[in-house]
Amino acid sequence: MKLSVILPIYNEGMSIPELFGGITEAMTEIGYSYEIIAVNDGSKDDSAIRLNEIAKNRPEVKVIHFRVNAGQTAAIHAGIEHATGDVLIPLDSDLENDPKDIIRMLKKMDEGFDVVSGWRKKRWADKKFVRKFPSIMANKLISYVSGVHLHDYGCTLKVYRRDVIHGVNLYGEMHRFIPAYAARMGARVTEIEVSHSPRKY
Ligand code: UDP
Ligand code: MG
């Protein structure tokens, strides 16, 4: 089995060393072969230079550069299109997600699921009224409309079997709805709690 970690990247130069360090550690622990697809979404900082530097010495790291900033969904979409793994794992690049969580998510997938979605249960504990409450309402609405019942559609960290999102067409802010799309394709979808840190840089 091969894993494809997909990174949407917009001005994350400061996070890139820690990000690649964390992913590499988690992948080494998991032990499957893997690739990292870094999609530089038209960054204006030094992200491009840093990514090219890493890719130079690591054949498993592939970098895609967008000329202009096209948004997180477009970046994830490009990553999905270029992924060659059996399991696709999009992950935020600002150190909000913890790559170590992938280990537990893959174990959950082994129980017979096609999609394991991350749930940042403790996010916004300090901003209950302005962020937590609107987020709960938004998630309840998506849950009702899509018929796929998750707590946190916005969490980028998810684990997908390739065949349930192969050929998916994404636009706008649609990456949140990939689990709903996958469920329509007959995928078994579940969620587990993942850790969450505030954006570091
Ligand atoms: N991102 C991107 N293009 C954009 C905006 C964001 O690729 O135009 C990336 C960003 O680098 C990060 C992820 O998408 O890895 C989530 O972005 P952000 O942290 O700004 O969103 P939030 O955490 O508030 O949902
Ligand atoms: Mg973020």
Side-chain angles (χ1 to χ4, degrees), residues 138-151 153 176-191:
N139 281 296
K140 275 194 190 306
L141 181 66
I142 302 177
S143 170
Y144 174 73
V145 171
S146 68
V148 177
H149 304 302
L150 301 176
H151 288 90
Y153 297 86
R176 288 184 178 77
F177 301 97
I178 307 175
Y181 167 86
R184 287 268 165 93
M185 298 287 128
R188 284 150 299 177
V189 180
T190 191
E191 69 183 355

Side-chain angles (χ1 to χ4, degrees), residues 7 9 15-24 91-95 99:
L7 303 173
I9 297 178
S15 302
I16 284 173
E18 254 170 273
L19 176 68
F20 277 79
I23 294 170
T24 308
L91 186 73
D92 273 343
S93 306
D94 55 0
L95 310 173

Side-chain angles (χ1 to χ4, degrees), residues 158-177:
K158 294 184 167 76
V159 168
Y160 298 95
R161 276 192 212 284
R162 177 192 184 75
D163 47 340
V164 300
I165 52 168
H166 186 69
V168 64
N169 229 331
L170 303 178
Y171 49 88
E173 287 294 304
M174 238 177 90
H175 67 271
R176 288 184 178 77
F177 301 97

Side-chain angles (χ1 to χ4, degrees), residues 12 92 94 96 120 123 196 199:
E12 306 286 8
D92 273 343
D94 55 0
E96 284 199 48
R120 299 160 296 177
R123 199 186 196 198
H196 173 260
R199 168 181 274 283

Side-chain angles (χ1 to χ4, degrees), residues 115-134:
V115 180
V116 181
S117 187
W119 174 16
R120 299 160 296 177
K121 198 173 179 181
K122 298 189 180 74
R123 199 186 196 198
W124 307 131
D126 54 334
K127 291 184 182 161
K128 281 215 158 54
F129 197 71
V130 285
R131 300 303 298 261
K132 182 122 195 153
F133 179 67

